[in-house]
Amino acid sequence: MTYDPLQALIAAGAVPANSFPPNSRYAATPVKVHEGIAYLGRRLVPQPDRLGTLGEHAVVEGDRLDNLSARYLGDPELWWRIADGNPAGHPDELTATVGARLRITTQEGMPGVPDA
């Protein structure tokens, strides 16, 4: 195996283990190292019933999760928080049916919101 100085610095804790921005769904996901190779640890999606509800949205034609998260959460890159609160096999399924109700949820463990 070839020596990689960047991987060595990550493994030694000298380089921040995660450089994702705070609004990324991976911001709290650790970078792990196995046999000198850095990789992103698994992000466990929270159970939707553990998330507090801020409100609901009835899907209309043309809705997209990034536009909904900009409207309700103030940041289009937080679309994944809407996806976390509404179970689906693929995020696009959430806005595919006009009239479907989407929960707009808080993040897991948000202070002031009781856990289920």
Side-chain angles (χ1 to χ4, degrees):
M1 182 178 296
T2 306
Y3 175 75
D4 182 341
L6 177 59
Q7 298 295 335
L9 289 171
I10 291 171
V15 172
N18 187 327
S19 61
F20 289 95
N23 62 348
S24 169
R25 63 185 154 172
Y26 299 111
T29 305
V31 172
K32 298 182 176 189
V33 178
H34 178 72
E35 295 186 8
I37 307 282
Y39 66 95
L40 191 60
R42 177 176 281 181
R43 175 186 178 263
L44 299 176
V45 178
Q47 292 297 314
D49 61 354
R50 293 186 49 88
L51 306 174
T53 301
L54 296 171
E56 283 192 350
H57 174 81
V59 174
V60 298
E61 186 68 36
D63 270 348
R64 293 189 348 220
L65 291 182
D66 59 337
N67 290 335
L68 295 176
S69 67
R71 176 178 173 188
Y72 292 107
L73 304 174
D75 185 344
E77 294 186 18
L78 292 176
W79 64 269
W80 55 271
R81 285 188 32 201
I82 296 173
D84 283 357
N86 297 276
H90 190 279
D92 290 341
E93 294 174 13
L94 297 174
T95 55
T97 304
V98 171
R101 310 277 308 168
L102 297 179
R103 288 178 60 222
I104 310 301
T105 60
T106 62
Q107 59 194 36
E108 187 173 30
M110 185 172 191
V113 178
D115 289 335

